[in-house]
């Protein structure tokens, strides 16, 4: 009996070890496959951006940085980068301000639960409406009020797009703040502004900065809304990249894509370090 029990226990341990090895191997394969799926195209674009010729092929005949110099020397592309940056800053700062107000309403407003939930649904609606429909609506509205196409309709479209992300990012941090602290401050005589400035804002600050950075990255890379609302009088970085795709400027496009990826990735990394996903 004792030997049978020992054999049975050893068999169970072997089975558990084999099952754990299979699970571990499957997990590692899944991680590697996911990483390849996400980042292999980026690596290929970076590799091809070093091609000496305008139409790269694998393997490359050599390596050069001439296309990066060409991108940074292209006045139209640089102007598009600057325009995208300005629109991104306006959309990010305004979206974060409005998102803060919406987050406070959803999390802390002294309203019925159903009404706060309704506000959350209203803010989230842009996530579920096709971008083409949003662009069409903003374009028609801008035309009716005399704005036409151009900078302000594009800013409005980008703000409409980034607002839900800013709102729910800030709301997730707002929900972690102990509401009793603000009540104590009010009991001690602090007014609403003083309470927000001294208690709430310091705890929200990382989320606010992360919101600005995330919203900027979203706006900076937005193409479809810009394509429909910009008209012929302005250009942005995504529109310039689209124009290069149409004329087949492959190596130039690869170098421009790498620069944009590095910049957007750095912004997103800083934002994620300030407000890690939960």
């Amino acid at each position: 009996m004792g030997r049978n029990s020992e054999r049975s226990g050893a068999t169970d341990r072997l089975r558990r070890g084999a099952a754990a090895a299979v699970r571990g191997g499957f997990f590692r394969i899944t991680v590697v496959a996911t990483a390849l799926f996400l980042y292999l195209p980026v690596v290929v674009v970076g590799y091809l951006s070093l091609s000496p010729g305008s139409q790269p092929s694998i393997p490359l005949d050599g390596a050069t940085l001439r296309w990066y110099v060409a991108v940074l020397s292209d006045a139209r592309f640089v102007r598009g980068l600057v325009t995208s940056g300005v629109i991104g800053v306006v959309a990010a700062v305004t979206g974060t301000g409005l998102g803060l107000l919406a987050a406070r309403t959803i999390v802390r407003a002294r309203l019925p639960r159903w009404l706060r939930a309704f506000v959350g649904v209203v803010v989230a609606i842009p996530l579920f409406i096709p971008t083409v429909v949003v662009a069409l609506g903003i374009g028609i509205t801008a035309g009716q009020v005399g704005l036409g196409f151009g900078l302000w309709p594009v800013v409005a479209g980008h703000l409409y797009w980034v607002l839900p992300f800013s709102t729910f990012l800030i709301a997730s941090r707002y929900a972690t703040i102990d509401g009793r602290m603000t009540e104590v401050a009010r009991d001690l005589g602090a007014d609403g502004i003083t309470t927000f400035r001294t208690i709430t804002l310091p705890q929200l600050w990382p989320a606010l900065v992360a919101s600005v950075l995330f919203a900027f990255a979203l706006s900076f890379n937005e193409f479809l809304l810009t394509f429909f609302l910009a008209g012929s009088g302005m250009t942005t970085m995504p529109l310039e990249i689209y124009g290069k795709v149409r004329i087949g400027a492959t190596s130039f496009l690869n170098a421009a894509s790498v620069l944009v990826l590095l910049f957007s990735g750095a912004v997103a990394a800083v934002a994620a370090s300030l407000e890690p996903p939960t």
Side-chain angles (χ1 to χ4, degrees):
M1 292 293 293
R3 290 182 178 180
N4 290 335
S5 297
E6 291 178 0
R7 290 176 181 175
S8 177
T11 301
D12 289 340
R13 287 193 294 272
L14 288 174
R15 289 175 179 174
R16 289 195 295 270
V22 170
R23 289 195 298 270
F26 177 77
F27 176 77
R28 286 191 291 270
I29 292 172
T30 302
V31 170
V32 171
T34 302
L36 289 175
F37 175 77
L38 291 176
Y39 298 110
L40 183 60
V42 177
V43 173
V44 172
V45 169
Y47 173 71
L48 294 177
S49 70
L50 301 175
S51 171
S54 60
Q55 300 296 326
S57 60
I58 297 177
L60 297 180
D61 297 329
T64 179
L65 297 176
R66 60 173 290 200
W67 299 109
Y68 290 93
V69 176
V71 169
L72 298 177
S73 302
D74 189 296
R76 185 175 174 85
F77 190 84
V78 172
R79 186 167 65 251
L81 282 175
V82 173
T83 303
S84 290
V86 171
I87 294 172
V89 169
V90 174
V93 173
T94 307
T96 297
L98 295 176
L100 174 60
L101 297 176
R104 185 184 184 283
T105 301
I106 294 170
V107 177
R108 288 292 164 82
R110 295 180 178 178
L111 297 172
R113 183 187 293 265
W114 69 267
L115 187 55
R116 289 189 284 122
F118 176 75
V119 172
V121 170
V122 170
V123 173
I125 284 176
L127 299 175
F128 304 99
I129 299 178
T131 308
V132 174
V133 176
V134 174
L136 180 63
I138 293 175
I140 293 174
T141 303
Q144 291 296 318
V145 300
L147 289 177
F149 296 99
L151 178 62
W152 293 114
V154 171
V155 169
H158 285 213
L159 179 59
Y160 187 89
W161 171 239
V162 305
L163 181 58
F165 295 95
S166 293
T167 298
F168 294 117
L169 190 154
I170 298 170
S172 65
R173 172 57 70 95
Y174 223 129
T176 65
I177 299 176
D178 190 350
R180 292 174 297 182
M181 297 175 64
T182 58
E183 295 297 329
V184 170
R186 288 181 177 276
D187 290 341
L188 294 175
D191 57 24
I193 296 177
T194 301
T195 301
F196 178 81
R197 179 174 56 82
T198 59
I199 295 178
T200 306
L201 185 59
Q203 298 182 73
L204 284 179
W205 191 248
L208 294 176
V209 177
S211 171
V212 169
L213 294 175
F214 273 127
F216 176 84
L218 289 170
S219 173
F220 186 79
N221 295 289
E222 174 56 37
F223 168 73
L224 195 56
L225 283 168
T226 310
F227 180 77
F228 278 96
L229 298 173
S232 59
M234 66 173 292
T235 185
T236 64
M237 178 273 301
L239 294 182
E240 281 300 305
I241 289 180
Y242 176 70
K244 298 299 182 183
V245 170
R246 295 180 64 186
I247 64 175
T250 308
S251 293
F252 183 99
L253 178 62
N254 290 336
S257 299
V258 170
L259 292 175
V260 172
L261 283 170
L262 290 175
F263 177 72
S264 300
V267 172
V270 173
S273 68
L274 291 170
E275 187 68 11
T278 56

